[in-house]
Amino acid sequence: MKKTAIIAIAGLATVASADVLIDVDLSVVDQLTITATGGLSAVSASGSNFTGFLFDGLSGGTSGTSGTTVVSADFSTAANASDGSPSLFVAGGGTDTGLNVWSFSTDSTVSVTAGSAAFAGSATWDISATLYASLLAGATSGDIYFPADDSGDIAGADLLGTYRVVPAPSALALLGLGGIVAGRRRR
């Protein structure tokens, strides 16, 4: 009897988990790369390409995204063509902890389909040292909402799935310290 209850609870936990849709790479200083994982969207949804989607909690809070330039991009929703020039936005002058990606498709309305790959491709931006530090201070995983350009939009947006930071910022710090220690040993 107890074994059945445990199996049932474990089954509920796997149903409730959302697919990882995007890997966020912060391994290059002052650069952000996002890559679609092929993960499946939890819902069917459509919205404005001008609004885009939100990585909830990814930003530790920053004053904005000035100085951000696209290095390379073929990123979009899996159902829509990329325009090669996605934009980043952090709302609230540093008070919002979400990072918004918008204007990434040639289509004005973009969509995702439940049970199908949500995103395709990747995008890399050169970003300011301030934004980079903010992303390192943000969450190492979290939810992706669509359409949403700031945390105030979450209540009316759809939860598509999750993102993860790879490698995690703490691992980046250890790699940096390892390089310093190795450099000192050689001398």
Side-chain angles (χ1 to χ4, degrees):
M1 185 75 156
K2 289 181 184 177
K3 198 176 208 178
T4 306
I6 291 170
I7 292 170
I9 291 170
L12 287 174
T14 57
V15 170
S17 68
D19 276 4
V20 175
L21 306 179
I22 295 178
D23 284 337
V24 176
D25 184 349
L26 299 170
S27 63
V28 177
V29 175
D30 296 342
Q31 199 169 77
L32 164 66
T33 299
I34 61 171
T35 304
T37 65
L40 308 180
S41 178
V43 298
S44 292
S46 64
S48 170
N49 181 40
F50 186 75
T51 302
F53 61 91
L54 183 74
F55 294 101
D56 188 33
L58 181 59
S59 170
T62 186
S63 60
T65 56
S66 63
T68 300
T69 57
V70 176
V71 174
S72 65
D74 65 352
F75 180 82
S76 188
T77 57
N80 302 95
S82 171
D83 70 0
S85 63
S87 297
L88 299 175
F89 174 67
V90 177
T95 59
D96 196 301
T97 60
L99 178 70
N100 171 251
V101 177
W102 62 285
S103 187
F104 49 83
S105 176
T106 57
D107 300 313
S108 60
T109 300
V110 293
S111 62
V112 294
T113 303
S116 296
F119 299 103
S122 66
T124 299
W125 295 266
D126 283 336
I127 58 177
S128 69
T130 303
L131 179 56
Y132 183 74
S134 176
L135 295 174
L136 287 177
T140 58
S141 64
D143 294 330
I144 301 171
Y145 291 96
F146 172 72
D149 61 7
D150 62 35
S151 296
D153 291 342
I154 290 175
D158 291 301
L159 173 61
L160 300 183
T162 63
Y163 67 87
R164 65 181 169 212
V165 178
V166 291
S170 60
L172 293 173
L174 291 174
L175 289 173
L177 289 175
I180 292 169
V181 170
R184 287 186 180 159
R185 284 187 190 151
R186 287 185 206 134
R187 294 180 191 185

